[in-house]
C-alpha cells in the first residue's frame, strides 16, 4: 500500500514539475496527466471542455492550480467509483 | 496511475472484508491494515491508543466504521506528507 501511495505522489510530481510551480498542476499539466494516466477512469479525458469543468470542480481555492490534496479528491472519487462503493 | 489506484482499492477491500460490512473498515480491521500496510507512514502503528485516536479523527459520521472515502482522507494526508507538500 505504501508503494502504491508512493507511485501516485511521484506521478503527480512528474506532471506538476513540467511548468510553473513544481508542487501544483496547472490546467495544462492537469490535462496531460488525465489524458495520459487516467483515460480509462475519466470520461472524455481528451475533451478540453470536460477537463475545464473537472478542474474547476477540484480547484477549491480557485487559484487556477491544483495542489496535491485537491488532486487527491479527484482520484478518491475515481477510486470510489472504480471500487463500486456507495456515495 | 490507474493501477496504483486499483491496488489501494483492492487492499482496502481485502481488509474491509474480514468481518462485518465488506465495504467498511471496523476498528479491528483498520488496526490490522495500518499495522501491516502503513507501518512506515503512520507513527505508532502498533499502539492501540494511537489507532483509536486516528480512527476517531477519520470517522466523520461517527458510526464506528470507516468507509472508503473516509479512509482515503488518511492516505491523502500520509501521501501529502510523504511527498513533502505544504499544508
Amino acid at each position: 500500500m505504501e508503494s502504491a501511495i508512493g507511485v501516485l505522489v511521484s506521478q503527480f510530481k512528474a506532471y506538476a514539475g513540467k511548468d510553473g510551480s513544481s508542487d501544483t498542476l496547472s490546467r495544462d499539466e492537469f490535462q496531460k496527466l488525465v489524458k495520459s494516466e487516467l483515460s480509462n477512469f475519466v470520461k472524455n479525458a481528451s475533451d478540453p471542455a470536460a477537463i475545464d469543468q473537472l478542474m474547476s470542480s477540484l480547484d477549491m481555492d480557485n487559484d487556477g492550480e491544483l495542489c496535491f490534496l485537491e488532486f487527491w479528491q479527484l482520484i478518491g472519487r475515481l477510486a470510489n467509483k472504480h471500487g463500486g462503493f456507495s456515495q
Side-chain angles (χ1 to χ4, degrees), chain A residues 22-75:
Chain A
S22 64
D23 271 3
T24 56
L25 293 173
S26 63
R27 190 217 168 273
D28 194 45
E29 289 167 339
F30 178 63
Q31 179 168 26
K32 283 184 184 136
L33 186 159
V34 171
K35 204 168 158 179
S36 306
E37 303 290 342
L38 297 170
S39 60
N40 295 306
F41 283 10
V42 174
K43 261 197 280 187
N44 309 321
S46 299
D47 174 7
I51 295 292
D52 282 338
Q53 199 176 10
L54 190 57
M55 174 125 186
S56 311
S57 76
L58 296 166
D59 182 16
M60 297 310 285
D61 57 3
N62 284 307
D63 67 351
E65 299 269 329
L66 295 184
C67 71
F68 183 75
L69 288 176
E70 288 171 334
F71 175 70
W72 193 256
Q73 299 312 309
L74 168 67
I75 50 178

